[in-house]
Amino acid sequence: MPRTGLSPEEARQRAVEIAVVRIRENGFVKLRLADVAREMGVSHAALYGHFRDKAALLDAVTGHWLREARARTAVICAGSAPAAERIEEWFVTRYRIKSARALSDPEIFYGFNDATESERPVIRVYMQQMRRDLSGLLSEAGLGGEAEATLLEEALASFLHPALIGAGPKPEREDALRRLLRVLLAGLAASREGGT
Amino acid sequence: MPRTGLSPEEARQRAVEIAVVRIRENGFVKLRLADVAREMGVSHAALYGHFRDKAALLDAVTGHWLREARARTAVICAGSAPAAERIEEWFVTRYRIKSARALSDPEIFYGFNDATESERPVIRVYMQQMRRDLSGLLSEAGLGGEAEATLLEEALASFLHPALIGAGPKPEREDALRRLLRVLLAGLAASREGGT
DNA sequence: CCGATTACAGAATCGCAAAAATGTAATCAA
DNA sequence: TTGATTACATTTTTGCGATTCTGTAATCGG
């Protein structure tokens, strides 16, 4: 009966906000659409006007979280330091953000991990954006493009994949990441010289 | 009353054999000590004379499986081909064995994955052995030692870690592994020249 | 003494009925 | 027409007693 007074876009945002709070409180797997709907002041069926199903709302939560994370790495791409330095900074920042969040926001992180395991489109899109960002840095550094970005992404999975990254940033892990990355960049540089 | 007629060592082996069959049939998580004991013709309590607890039996199963896997990579270390080739062969073989087994023996593989997640000592020991084997190959190739072996192990987690490896060997994954490994070896060689 | 047994306490799992949540359809109001 | 509602079918979870398993202790036999 009484209209919500929110635009579709606002309603979506509001639902995601509420879901985030509920997930932090009760856990990712225990989120109930009924709770979100009640807190919005609508019937649970109304949510289906904004999200195809529960998975879509959960994806929206994950997507929101990933966009926040990307915002913090994207500024590095636009920096003025030498490209090689920015590449290292870019990866280290990703490591720090994810490991910190695995500790401070474990339930949302669980959702991220879950979406990754089940290869949800929201993850594919995020990975594509990250690959493009990295690809840009690599070509600035004269070290390659998309293919090399994919290669680096795979090589650093130990430090970035949600299933392998530990909870809480660890200096020794960060050092190991830097060492590995330098070997990789040296290897790409060498391949480039030899293989041209 | 009636003694088993098996030496302690034989009894352990027999229990592991039976457990492997039962796990393949009923699944890793559903293994019952009672079933293993019954099939051995003893009471379930007798098993506690051979294994501290159920986890120890499960570890023995995983350890057995890992020793089999290692036997197939160890021969490569002793081969006569150039060290660089043997390194590539060594990693590719590991990838093939694991991905094949994830498909053909999923329940035992599940146990391996589980033991990895919970960082059981049996996994630590296995990793140490593999690192030592690789370390030997690397020093033969003049590319480093333990530290570099650790670095390669981390860099190739995408292709070897049970949580990330897919079920069933895929040629394109094998190619990606080879490409990444070559970049890494080139990088190690370059670091070695520059950093000596 | 060694290896196995029976007996038993505590923990984990099973089965199933009741309750709740998800998703769909028909409908209603601004 | 759009966005929401109520009603309802279908899954999924929950609660909980009964059962089964795990692990320990005391004991037995060769």
Side-chain angles (χ1 to χ4, degrees):
Chain A
M1 330 265 200
R3 292 304 172 90
T4 317
L6 294 172
S7 77
E9 192 44 46
E10 287 171 332
R12 276 183 65 89
Q13 271 183 257
R14 180 107 188 81
V16 169
E17 280 170 30
I18 292 169
V20 166
V21 173
R22 284 257 146 271
I23 288 171
R24 288 201 179 116
E25 279 178 9
N26 294 13
F28 183 83
V29 299
K30 287 192 188 157
L31 180 75
R32 299 184 210 316
L33 292 190
D35 293 345
V36 177
R38 187 171 337 105
E39 204 158 337
M40 286 181 76
V42 298
S43 67
H44 84 274
L47 280 178
Y48 288 84
H50 299 294
F51 302 94
R52 189 183 332 288
D53 54 18
K54 186 178 176 178
L57 171 56
L58 259 12
D59 282 349
V61 169
T62 301
H64 176 71
W65 190 82
L66 292 174
R67 270 188 295 283
E68 273 180 21
R70 178 167 180 245
R72 292 171 59 187
T73 56
V75 300
I76 295 171
C77 298
S80 55
E85 278 177 35
R86 270 180 289 149
I87 291 172
E88 190 165 319
E89 213 36 38
W90 189 79
F91 273 115
V92 167
T93 301
R94 281 180 71 190
Y95 167 71
R96 285 182 182 162
I97 292 173
K98 284 195 189 173
S99 58
R101 283 192 151 178
L103 188 67
S104 70
D105 208 2
E107 287 299 334
I108 303 286
F109 192 87
Y110 175 95
F112 166 44
N113 189 25
D114 196 63
T116 302
E117 267 183 38
S118 37
E119 302 181 64
R120 310 276 312 165
V122 67
I123 299 296
R124 204 178 42 69
V125 168
Y126 165 72
M127 295 289 281
Q128 249 168 15
Q129 289 174 335
M130 294 309 265
R131 192 157 51 244
R132 242 195 301 280
D133 290 351
L134 175 57
S135 189
L137 288 174
L138 284 172
S139 54
E140 275 193 67
L143 287 172
E146 289 267 334
E148 287 71 20
T150 302
L151 185 142
L152 288 187
E153 196 67 34
E154 282 189 330
L156 294 168
S158 289
F159 303 95
L160 297 173
H161 193 288
L164 303 191
I165 200 174
K170 309 251 170 56
E172 70 273 16
R173 293 298 293 156
E174 191 177 311
D175 290 345
L177 189 164
R178 288 185 199 273
R179 276 197 299 275
L180 172 53
L181 182 58
R182 283 176 193 153
V183 169
L184 285 162
L185 296 180
L188 285 180
S191 310
R192 208 125 254 258
E193 286 164 26
T196 307
Chain B
M1 333 281 203
R3 292 303 171 89
T4 317
L6 294 172
S7 77
E9 193 43 47
E10 287 171 331
R12 275 183 67 90
Q13 271 183 258
R14 180 108 187 81
V16 169
E17 282 170 29
I18 292 168
V20 166
V21 173
R22 284 256 146 272
I23 289 170
R24 288 201 178 118
E25 279 178 8
N26 293 17
F28 183 83
V29 300
K30 287 195 188 157
L31 179 75
R32 281 160 219 178
L33 292 191
D35 293 344
V36 176
R38 187 172 336 106
E39 205 158 338
M40 283 180 77
V42 298
S43 68
H44 85 275
L47 280 178
Y48 288 84
H50 300 294
F51 302 94
R52 191 184 336 288
D53 54 15
K54 185 177 174 178
L57 171 56
L58 260 11
D59 281 349
V61 169
T62 302
H64 176 73
W65 190 81
L66 291 174
R67 271 187 295 283
E68 273 180 20
R70 180 168 178 244
R72 292 171 58 186
T73 56
V75 300
I76 295 170
C77 297
S80 55
E85 279 177 33
R86 270 180 290 149
I87 291 172
E88 190 165 320
E89 212 37 38
W90 190 80
F91 274 115
V92 168
T93 301
R94 282 180 72 189
Y95 167 70
R96 286 181 182 163
I97 290 172
K98 284 195 189 173
S99 59
R101 282 192 151 179
L103 188 67
S104 69
D105 208 2
E107 288 298 334
I108 304 285
F109 192 88
Y110 175 95
F112 166 45
N113 188 25
D114 196 63
T116 302
E117 266 183 38
S118 37
E119 302 182 64
R120 310 275 313 165
V122 65
I123 299 296
R124 205 179 40 69
V125 168
Y126 165 72
M127 296 288 281
Q128 250 169 15
Q129 289 174 336
M130 294 307 267
R131 191 157 52 243
R132 243 196 300 280
D133 290 350
L134 175 57
S135 189
L137 288 174
L138 283 172
S139 54
E140 275 192 69
L143 287 171
E146 289 266 335
E148 287 71 19
T150 302
L151 185 143
L152 288 187
E153 195 68 33
E154 283 189 329
L156 294 168
S158 289
F159 302 95
L160 297 173
H161 193 289
L164 303 191
I165 199 173
K170 307 251 173 55
E172 70 274 16
R173 291 300 292 154
E174 191 176 312
D175 290 344
L177 189 165
R178 288 185 199 274
R179 276 197 299 276
L180 171 53
L181 181 58
R182 284 176 192 153
V183 169
L184 285 161
L185 295 181
L188 285 180
S191 311
R192 206 124 256 255
E193 287 163 25
T196 307

